[in-house]
Amino acid sequence: MKGFLVSGLIAGLYALSASAAAVTRRGIAGGPGELATRDLYNANTNWNRTYAPAEPQQIHISITDNAQYAKVQFATLEEIKTPLFQYWPKGSQRKAVTIENGQNWAFVDNGTAHHTIYLHNLQTRPLKAATIYQYKVGTIDMSGNSTWSQSTFEFHTASKDDTTNFIATADLGLVNAVALPNLINLAKSHEYDFMTLSGDQAYDMADFNGTKGDDYMNMVQDLFANIPFIGGVGNHESAYNFSHWKNRFNNVPYQESNFVNNMQYSFNYKTLHIISFNTEIYFEGSAEEITTALNWFEEDLKQAQKNRKKQPWIIVMSHHPAYCTSYGSPTDMSCLTQTAIVRDGPIGPDGNATGGIEDLMLQYGVDVYLTGHRHNYERTYPVAKGKRTSTSYHNAPSYFEILVGNAGNYELTIPFNSTGPLPDWSASRYDGYGFSVVRATPTELEFTHYQSNLDGTLGSVIDHVVATKDSKFHALYHQVTQQHKTASEKKALKVLPLGNIHQEPCGNKYGDATYASQGRQSLEQRHAKFQTLLSQRRVPRTPWSEADIEWVLGHIAKMDSNNFQSNVGLGEREARIASRIVARRHYGFGHGIGRSGDISEVQPKAAGSSLLYKLTQYMVLDLLRICGLTKAAAAACVILPMATGMALTLSMRTVGSQRPRAKYVLWPRIDQKSCFKSIITAGYVPVVIPNVMEGDMVRTNLAAVQGKVHELGPENIVCIMSTTSCFAPRVPDRIIELAKICQEHDIPHVINNAYGLASQKCVNLVNEACRQGRVDLYIQSTDKNFLVPVGGSVVAGPQNEPIAALSQMYPGRASIAPIMDLFITLLEVGADGFLALLQERRENYAHLCHSLSLVAHNLGCRVLETPVNDVSLAMTLNLPTDTSATSVTFLGSMLFSRSVSGTRVVPPHTTKTISGYSFNGFMSHIDEYTPRLANAPTSYMTAAAAIGVKRQEIDVFVEKLQKLLGKTLSVNLTRGKFVQI
């Protein structure tokens, strides 16, 4: 390409920074000009296997607007007669459509060997919305022989709701592709609609006569063939006039965007308009090419502006950042010179910069600039002209940038500048590996950045931000508040933060204007905080004050009819409350939630109560994800004003309503009476699955479960009810394997996850069970997870339909009290507070384990080895085998009398009858509990490090236990009884 007019100083600095970075930046083998080797991240892919000449390889798929069409592209090593593309709705291969007509061409690499591959690009017919499609590709060679791809791949079309989820990444190499295992898992989950990649792949495709490009395309085949690719070009694709990009990714929707080639294009998906812009023109293009690119860019932005009602969000995706704060070497000026060129354009002979992209992005209201190039993650605040324009992402006055260049490649990651003050626009930085996921609705654009661990597993959330625009949800609140105001209330809007708060100062009439202005500012701040809550519908990061929470409750309560000043109620239920104390306790909420037939339905008399319930549901769903549940596992939830046992009953009735012949519930034994009685109360027949011993652990007997499925018949089984959180030595059920059994036999799966949100192991099990098998509903207690009074539960699931069915199963209205408790707690603790509680619990579990081990060592006992249970611990009691159960449990009574609650002392040989069913060895979850090093059933005691427990409490418990066992009790070996001295 011809060079463009850039001053010699800028060009020289760019060349210097590039060469210096190549020499001094940290890196490993496998970069440009170097052979790639197998590593942890590419070892399980097909990148270096031998392909037959006519065998399809390098398969990848893209889509047009709203997934109306899909385009698949693949390569062969020889010229073929006919390419084949066969696709069908998942599970209905008899409906397969085969496409044979498409584009076919030979791509000759410009290296000395003139390595040639043959590329084939085929498009579907119009696709059905909200459908998962399976597909494979094939060939008919010149001799008439057919060859199909070894694997069948999947993609899905746009769902019928207004939510979009996609993956965002960049800078992915053939070696050290740390995020690749995570990306492949997400691609196959159908949780995400497409994937963006903001340039730089393989490092470099043109190496070794283009064979490195072949290897890379085969390595990412499991990724790019299972999720539509919406990518852009980077500087590492520049060889031979970007020929590898232009040929290998010819199926992106550039033709539909009226651009001459795939270097630039745009794409609509529900509420999103995404533009792939080529910033390489600034560094390897001509002035004419810059003009052509910018003219197309502006025309596309003009059209996008006209379509704002359909696509309110505009995202520009490109390779080079407009803002960044990292450096690859002492002479790396990329975040100074290159970013300036991208923003403002190259410097001409007159010394002025023209032709950048920032002016156009600001002029047409671009919301996000999505980029890469720097091998790290960075987020800005809304920014323009080098200055932060706001710290809020609500109705932001300018765009903000998300830099996601940390997928992993030979250069490792790039550190950040740690000297001097950061620019005011820098909001979040992370120099490890990872990727982002994005959720878009008409009013929200949510970015979450995940860490990718070096062992290939998914790490924790690194960063999270939600951009919002005024929503119908928010407007509804104001509409309702205005509708029911008296004249005096409407007049009061001049000083109350419910209407137009920006009024003239009232100081001349009512006092000093300065004081009035300060008061108005305070009201504005409170109003703005509530606006943000309504718009974002997320748990606020930082806690709210009690005054702010009570202010919100008071104003929401005014939306209920019983609090209208002019309301006259002539019905039998008008939220009349006789006691003022009770009315104050409930902040004036008296109508409850829901309507007859659906607990989630808006109640006409109780717009405020309904709003409070909906808002709490949104925040709880957010908190489930903060606790580590994926969006695929926690797609929806409902809050019930009933504790876990009754929530289990309602859940079983919900799944059972679709299975009229079924009457059995398969239940791996867990010695908690409420779980068992929930089956009886639901009217079903419990089938108790006995557990098995595994070392010290009591575990699920999968063979027994399979046996009962075959014996009773899947159609006669209401569900399998499994358990996660439990008392040691019982450990969580093997819910992943149970989920697979349920999926195989089409049996509903209900999980009792009572206090599992505090356990990372339980959360991971639920995530994987939802991903690998069938989970319909899982239930968690509000008091055990969220530290509120007993009386509520949260039922969640990976699909919306079971949650909606459960809401409609609830009879009549319900109390708002447990929901209000949860609402208040979520605001008062905040997301950061809950994360701190989770971290504190993990640390306290380790402390309890260490402390209890010391006690056990001193007394000749043993802490049982139950590593799968990361909440509860058990310690053997060194007692004679003939010690009576009453004497054993007396220890628990003595602890309770010394103000230690929650521990359990479990004797052997105890039988308990519940609703006519007898359980031997009750409380030990198995008929006879004999741990690994024992010869006979053994007594033990349990203790748990649940959320909210304090280190001091553990220390006090250990001290009292040590004293009780070592000094105040002795064992009468003759009688086999405890004797208090």
Side-chain angles (χ1 to χ4, degrees):
M1 280 186 173
K2 297 179 180 179
F4 62 96
L5 295 175
V6 184
S7 69
L9 175 61
I10 295 295
L13 283 172
Y14 173 57
L16 175 63
S17 65
S19 60
V23 173
T24 63
R25 191 176 296 165
R26 300 173 299 158
I28 59 175
E34 297 177 332
L35 289 170
T37 57
R38 296 179 74 85
D39 61 21
L40 176 64
Y41 316 110
N42 65 29
N44 294 323
T45 63
N46 294 321
W47 69 277
N48 63 351
R49 79 170 179 85
T50 300
Y51 286 83
E55 181 184 0
Q57 59 172 291
Q58 305 178 43
I59 304 163
H60 53 100
I61 196 164
S62 189
I63 49 176
T64 63
D65 284 3
N66 292 307
Q68 294 174 331
Y69 298 89
K71 296 182 176 182
V72 70
Q73 182 171 320
F74 64 94
T76 55
L77 297 178
E78 70 176 12
E79 188 176 3
I80 60 171
K81 183 178 180 181
T82 306
L84 303 171
F85 175 22
Q86 188 176 88
Y87 63 94
W88 59 91
K90 186 174 182 178
S92 300
Q93 193 165 2
R94 66 184 185 280
K95 298 181 181 179
V97 175
T98 302
I99 305 296
E100 298 182 1
N101 297 319
Q103 294 177 285
N104 304 280
W105 69 101
F107 169 45
V108 182
D109 175 74
N110 288 67
T112 57
H114 301 296
H115 171 62
T116 303
I117 58 174
Y118 298 85
L119 299 174
H120 317 284
N121 191 337
L122 299 96
Q123 179 174 298
T124 64
R125 297 171 186 169
L127 298 170
K128 183 180 178 182
T131 302
I132 295 177
Y133 284 94
Q134 294 179 304
Y135 76 95
K136 57 184 178 179
V137 295
T139 64
I140 300 176
D141 65 18
M142 294 302 183
S143 301
N145 300 313
S146 61
T147 304
W148 288 97
S149 54
Q150 288 188 355
S151 300
T152 297
F153 306 100
E154 295 183 1
F155 69 96
H156 65 259
T157 51
S159 61
K160 296 180 181 179
D161 58 24
D162 59 8
T163 299
T164 301
N165 293 286
F166 71 91
I167 304 168
T169 189
D171 300 83
L172 183 66
L174 179 55
V175 298
N176 199 43
V178 179
L180 183 62
N182 300 151
L183 295 174
I184 291 174
N185 286 338
L186 295 184
K188 293 180 178 181
S189 71
H190 289 294
E191 183 180 350
Y192 300 95
D193 301 305
F194 55 88
M195 185 186 79
T196 64
L197 196 153
S198 301
D200 274 10
Q201 303 181 64
Y203 296 85
D204 288 338
M205 291 190 186
D207 283 353
F208 305 105
N209 296 294
T211 57
K212 185 183 270 191
D214 295 342
D215 288 344
Y216 172 81
M217 294 300 293
N218 282 319
M219 181 191 77
V220 297
Q221 179 173 277
D222 256 3
L223 175 61
F224 291 175
N226 282 297
I227 190 169
F229 175 89
I230 301 294
V233 65
N235 56 289
H236 279 275
E237 286 79 65
S238 64
Y240 311 126
N241 193 16
F242 299 91
S243 64
H244 281 265
W245 167 261
K246 290 177 180 177
N247 282 274
R248 293 182 185 274
F249 293 95
N250 193 255
N251 59 335
V252 295
Y254 72 91
Q255 294 166 318
E256 294 80 359
S257 310
N258 297 315
F259 197 70
V260 65
N261 56 37
N262 60 351
M263 299 293 282
Q264 294 190 169
Y265 61 93
S266 65
F267 165 74
N268 292 321
Y269 201 96
K270 296 184 183 179
T271 61
L272 295 172
H273 182 71
I274 298 178
I275 303 171
S276 178
F277 182 80
N278 173 26
T279 47
E280 300 313 310
I281 55 171
Y282 293 121
F283 308 106
E284 304 203 37
S286 65
E288 182 180 3
E289 286 170 321
I290 293 175
T291 300
T292 299
L294 290 175
N295 287 342
W296 174 88
F297 187 41
E298 183 168 15
E299 287 302 312
D300 192 87
L301 286 170
K302 286 180 180 178
Q303 188 60 43
Q305 276 286 59
K306 295 177 183 178
N307 296 333
R308 281 284 193 175
K309 287 186 178 181
K310 290 184 177 180
Q311 284 87 37
W313 300 103
I314 299 176
I315 298 176
V316 173
M317 173 183 65
S318 193
H319 184 58
H320 287 270
Y323 296 90
C324 59
T325 60
S326 59
Y327 66 98
S329 71
T331 55
D332 184 358
M333 303 293 288
S334 300
C335 288
L336 295 176
T337 57
Q338 291 186 29
T339 53
I341 293 172
V342 170
R343 292 195 308 270
D344 305 323
I347 298 175
D350 60 356
N352 295 319
T354 57
I357 63 172
E358 187 170 64
D359 284 343
L360 289 174
M361 292 201 296
L362 295 172
Q363 180 181 347
Y364 293 101
V366 169
D367 298 288
V368 179
Y369 185 58
L370 186 59
T371 183
H373 190 58
R374 309 303 289 170
H375 299 164
N376 47 43
Y377 169 80
E378 188 162 11
R379 168 172 60 86
T380 72
Y381 289 110
V383 63
K385 302 298 181 181
K387 297 290 184 181
R388 183 181 67 198
T389 60
S390 175
T391 57
S392 170
Y393 294 84
H394 177 62
N395 292 332
S398 62
Y399 71 94
F400 62 96
E401 179 182 285
I402 299 287
L403 193 161
V404 286
N406 58 339
N409 57 66
Y410 83 101
E411 285 185 316
L412 308 181
T413 57
I414 298 177
F416 287 102
N417 184 359
S418 58
T419 60
L422 284 174
D424 64 356
W425 44 258
S426 182
S428 179
R429 309 193 305 176
Y430 167 63
D431 62 0
Y433 298 102
F435 60 92
S436 288
V437 298
V438 187
R439 182 185 66 89
T441 72
T443 58
E444 293 185 342
L445 196 59
E446 176 185 14
F447 288 81
T448 305
H449 194 76
Y450 284 95
Q451 176 187 28
S452 289
N453 295 327
L454 292 177
D455 63 359
T457 60
L458 180 63
S460 58
V461 172
I462 295 298
D463 188 39
H464 177 257
V465 68
V466 183
T468 56
K469 298 185 179 184
D470 287 329
S471 67
K472 294 180 181 178
F473 183 86
H474 188 201
L476 173 64
Y477 165 75
H478 289 287
Q479 180 183 350
V480 174
T481 55
Q482 294 291 335
Q483 182 179 352
H484 299 295
K485 291 189 185 306
T486 63
S488 61
E489 284 178 306
K490 290 179 180 177
K491 186 176 181 180
L493 289 177
K494 294 182 179 180
V495 292
L496 285 177
L498 286 175
N500 180 13
I501 196 160
H502 302 287
Q503 304 292 328
E504 291 298 319
C506 56
N508 293 335
K509 188 176 292 187
Y510 296 107
D512 189 281
T514 302
Y515 301 152
S517 176
Q518 289 176 335
R520 189 175 68 251
Q521 289 176 8
S522 175
L523 292 175
E524 286 176 344
Q525 290 171 356
R526 184 168 280 166
H527 184 231
K529 182 178 287 190
F530 188 31
Q531 277 187 319
T532 301
L533 181 68
L534 287 169
S535 299
Q536 294 188 353
R537 295 169 250 173
R538 297 288 184 271
V539 181
R541 301 301 304 182
T542 56
W544 281 27
S545 68
E546 292 182 30
D548 286 346
I549 296 169
E550 291 185 330
W551 179 88
V552 166
L553 288 169
H555 284 292
I556 294 178
K558 290 177 183 177
M559 297 167 64
D560 282 5
S561 64
N562 59 300
N563 296 314
F564 297 168
Q565 287 189 4
S566 57
N567 187 69
V568 176
L570 298 178
E572 83 289 354
R573 186 194 295 110
E574 298 295 339
R576 303 181 183 98
I577 303 173
S579 168
R580 292 185 179 181
I581 295 175
V582 173
R584 286 198 305 272
R585 176 189 170 218
H586 293 276
Y587 291 90
F589 292 100
H591 280 288
I593 54 173
R595 301 182 72 181
S596 299
D598 192 339
I599 195 175
S600 296
E601 191 172 346
V602 173
Q603 190 179 155
K605 293 181 185 177
S609 297
S610 301
L611 175 64
L612 183 69
Y613 182 62
K614 294 286 186 184
L615 189 52
T616 307
Q617 274 191 310
Y618 280 121
M619 289 198 291
V620 166
L621 191 60
D622 180 46
L623 191 54
L624 294 181
R625 293 166 182 169
I626 288 172
C627 290
L629 288 166
T630 64
K631 292 177 182 178
C637 75
V638 62
I639 310 167
L640 298 177
M642 53 174 58
T644 308
M646 289 302 297
L648 287 168
T649 295
L650 192 63
S651 298
M652 283 182 279
R653 292 301 307 174
T654 300
V655 298
S657 65
Q658 304 299 315
R659 303 171 72 81
R661 292 180 52 187
K663 64 177 182 178
Y664 300 107
V665 173
L666 272 57
W667 178 65
R669 177 178 165 181
I670 179 87
D671 288 353
Q672 296 167 345
K673 287 185 283 188
S674 61
C675 306
F676 183 74
K677 292 180 72 173
S678 69
I679 305 172
I680 304 296
T681 305
Y684 297 125
V685 178
V687 178
V688 182
I689 305 297
N691 295 312
V692 294
M693 291 294 302
E694 185 177 306
D696 289 336
M697 298 183 292
V698 180
R699 304 213 69 176
T700 317
N701 188 339
L702 293 174
V705 174
Q706 287 277 25
K708 284 296 180 183
V709 170
H710 292 297
E711 176 188 336
L712 300 173
E715 69 281 1
N716 296 313
I717 298 172
V718 175
C719 67
I720 294 177
M721 187 170 77
S722 61
T723 305
T724 54
S725 52
C726 53
F727 294 107
R730 179 70 153 82
V731 297
D733 278 322
R734 297 181 183 273
I735 64 169
I736 299 173
E737 292 83 354
L738 292 175
K740 292 178 180 179
I741 292 172
C742 289
Q743 185 176 56
E744 178 185 358
H745 297 287
D746 192 25
I747 299 172
H749 186 190
V750 175
I751 301 175
N752 176 12
N753 190 43
Y755 48 95
L757 294 179
S759 161
Q760 191 61 53
K761 290 183 184 293
C762 290
V763 166
N764 292 341
L765 284 172
V766 173
N767 283 336
E768 287 304 301
C770 292
R771 186 177 73 86
Q772 298 186 40
R774 174 170 178 171
V775 175
D776 294 74
L777 300 166
Y778 53 94
I779 298 90
Q780 30 275 309
S781 162
T782 54
D783 60 289
K784 294 174 182 174
N785 293 288
F786 306 131
L787 306 181
V788 297
V790 172
S793 58
V794 174
V795 183
Q799 302 293 335
N800 291 319
E801 292 78 7
I803 298 296
L806 184 140
S807 298
Q808 295 167 8
M809 181 67 67
Y810 191 97
R813 289 167 175 78
S815 170
I816 198 173
I819 285 80
M820 187 161 48
D821 290 342
L822 199 49
F823 178 81
I824 293 169
T825 302
L826 295 178
L827 293 182
E828 191 168 350
V829 176
D832 289 344
F834 273 106
L835 287 171
L837 284 168
L838 292 173
Q839 179 60 31
E840 179 187 47
R841 193 210 68 76
R842 287 190 288 268
E843 293 171 356
N844 284 337
Y845 173 79
H847 181 58
L848 176 62
C849 186
H850 174 71
S851 301
L852 207 56
S853 296
L854 292 177
V855 173
H857 177 74
N858 292 338
L859 299 174
C861 303
R862 187 168 70 87
V863 173
L864 297 168
E865 296 177 12
T866 56
V868 183
N869 190 330
D870 63 349
V871 176
S872 176
L873 290 165
M875 183 182 77
T876 62
L877 298 173
N878 198 7
L879 301 174
T881 56
D882 60 346
T883 304
S884 69
T886 302
S887 298
V888 174
T889 56
F890 186 57
L891 172 61
S893 300
M894 296 181 73
L895 283 169
F896 186 77
S897 68
R898 287 159 175 77
S899 300
V900 175
S901 60
T903 60
R904 292 188 174 193
V905 179
V906 181
H909 311 304
T910 300
T911 299
K912 182 77 172 179
T913 300
I914 306 171
S915 301
Y917 291 78
S918 293
F919 295 86
N920 296 323
F922 188 73
M923 294 176 65
S924 62
H925 319 283
I926 196 167
D927 286 354
E928 290 188 346
Y929 180 71
T930 305
R932 179 171 53 90
L933 299 179
N935 298 318
T938 301
S939 301
Y940 62 88
M941 68 170 297
T942 70
I947 190 169
V949 70
K950 301 301 179 184
R951 186 185 182 98
Q952 182 182 4
E953 292 180 278
I954 294 172
D955 292 340
V956 170
F957 157 66
V958 169
E959 180 183 354
K960 291 184 177 182
L961 179 65
Q962 176 84 40
K963 183 177 180 180
L964 184 62
L965 290 177
K967 293 182 179 179
T968 64
L969 287 180
S970 67
V971 177
N972 186 322
L973 299 179
T974 304
R975 295 185 176 181
K977 295 180 180 179
F978 277 121
V979 178
Q980 190 169 8
I981 298 176

